[in-house]
């Protein structure tokens, strides 16, 4: 039994628990190896090559364990550093790659986009949470540069949409007349930091989350207020 209980003359009971190791270290390995040498059959002694192979095998295993420990330590350190870096953004407005906008009590967040070439027929398509197209707005032709799109929060019929998250996809045609998707960015004020499966996310005031790695800059958040 691994647990032994005893009772003293004063009636006090003391529990002593024997702890069993679940892994072998270098001392344990050498103890086992020496025991093998001590109790080996004199008529059939352990081969030198076999003993050397066991030593090499243990040495390699120990080296791998040290590498794994080092990698895990590096991962933990990096994760902690990223969380601390995320904390520095709390209270600040940031810009990050993304396409989701929010309507919050009549206020709509802003979408940013950049163009590396001149395009025509720029169109902003707005989708609700079910993926249904609720608004399509023509933005005309654009040259190379940085732009922003502020949706007025209304659908095709001019009805103000309820609070929530909406997706905006910007499309355009290049000089060859081919359709191109435009990379967009979102902005928002950071209120918190969290990690999911090792990935650090910033929580925005309007409920959206963005990956810390996708943050591009600190900006002054732009919004617009809808009218009924």
């Amino acid at each position: 039994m691994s647990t032994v209980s005893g009772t003293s003359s004063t009636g006090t009971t003391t529990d002593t628990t024997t702890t069993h190791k679940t892994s072998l270290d270098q001392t344990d390995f050498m103890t086992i190896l020496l025991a093998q040498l001590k109790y080996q059959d004199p008529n059939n002694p352990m081969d030198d090559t076999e003993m050397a192979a066991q030593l090499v095998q243990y040495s390699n295993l120990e080296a791998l364990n040290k590498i794994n420990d080092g990698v895990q330590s590096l991962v933990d350190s990096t994760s902690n550093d990223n969380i601390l870096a995320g904390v520095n953004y709390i209270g600040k407005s940031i810009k990050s790659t993304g396409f989701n906008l929010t309507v919050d009590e009549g206020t709509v967040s802003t979408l940013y986009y950049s163009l590396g070439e001149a395009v025509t027929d720029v169109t902003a398509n707005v989708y609700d949470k079910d993926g249904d197209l609720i608004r399509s707005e023509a933005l005309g032709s654009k040259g190379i540069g940085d732009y922003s799109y502020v949706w007025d929060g209304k659908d095709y019929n001019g009805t103000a949409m309820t609070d929530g998250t909406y997706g905006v996809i910007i499309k355009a045609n290049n000089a060859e007349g081919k359709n191109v998707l435009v990379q967009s960015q979102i902005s928002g004020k950071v209120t918190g930091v969290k990690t999911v499966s090792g990935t650090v996310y910033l929580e925005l005031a309007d409920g959206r989350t963005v990956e810390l790695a996708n943050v591009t800059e600190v900006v002054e958040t732009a919004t617009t207020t809808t009218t009924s």
Side-chain angles (χ1 to χ4, degrees):
M1 294 180 65
S2 60
T3 302
V4 179
S5 298
T7 303
S8 65
S9 59
T10 60
T12 302
T13 302
T14 303
D15 290 340
T16 303
T17 303
T18 302
T19 303
H20 295 283
K21 299 173 66 174
T22 58
S23 61
L24 298 179
D25 56 21
Q26 185 175 12
T27 301
D28 297 325
F29 179 81
M30 293 305 299
T31 300
I32 294 173
L33 183 59
L34 291 174
Q36 288 180 331
L37 292 174
K38 180 178 180 179
Y39 296 107
Q40 65 182 332
D41 184 354
N43 297 319
N44 186 27
M46 180 182 293
D47 183 64
D48 291 343
T49 302
E50 181 182 355
M51 182 173 65
Q54 289 189 22
L55 287 172
V56 171
Q57 182 179 15
Y58 177 79
S59 178
N60 290 340
L61 179 59
E62 187 177 30
L64 287 174
N65 287 335
K66 289 182 178 179
I67 291 175
N68 288 336
D69 291 342
V71 171
Q72 186 59 51
S73 177
L74 179 61
V75 170
D76 292 340
S77 176
T78 300
S79 178
N80 290 335
D81 289 344
N82 286 339
I83 292 176
L84 291 176
V87 170
N88 291 329
Y89 286 102
I90 293 179
K92 299 178 181 179
S93 294
I94 56 93
K95 184 186 291 186
S96 168
T97 55
F99 58 88
N100 289 326
L101 298 182
T102 57
V103 176
D104 183 17
E105 296 183 352
T107 299
V108 185
S109 53
T110 296
L111 191 78
Y112 299 88
Y113 61 99
S114 298
L115 298 173
E117 61 178 328
V119 294
T120 60
D121 299 325
V122 180
T123 304
N125 294 321
V126 183
Y127 300 84
D128 63 15
K129 64 180 181 179
D130 297 320
D132 295 325
L133 180 64
I134 60 173
R135 178 74 176 274
S136 184
E137 188 172 355
L139 304 179
S141 299
K142 304 285 185 181
I144 298 173
D146 298 324
Y147 300 90
S148 63
Y149 169 67
V150 182
W151 173 43
D152 62 8
K154 299 178 180 180
D155 63 8
Y156 279 117
N157 300 318
T159 303
M161 303 304 296
T162 58
D163 288 358
T165 301
Y166 299 82
V168 179
I169 302 297
I170 296 182
K171 298 181 179 181
N173 294 328
N174 60 16
E176 288 75 33
K178 297 181 179 179
N179 293 328
V180 294
L181 289 178
V182 180
Q183 178 65 57
S184 59
Q185 296 180 313
I186 61 174
S187 65
K189 186 175 182 179
V190 180
T191 57
V193 182
K194 68 178 181 180
T195 59
V196 178
S197 300
T199 301
V200 179
Y201 292 88
L202 302 181
E203 298 176 315
L204 304 184
D206 56 19
R208 292 175 298 172
T209 59
V210 297
E211 284 191 40
L212 174 62
N214 290 338
V215 174
T216 57
E217 61 181 297
V218 177
V219 298
E220 181 65 30
T221 304
T223 59
T224 187
T225 301
T226 62
T227 56
S228 301

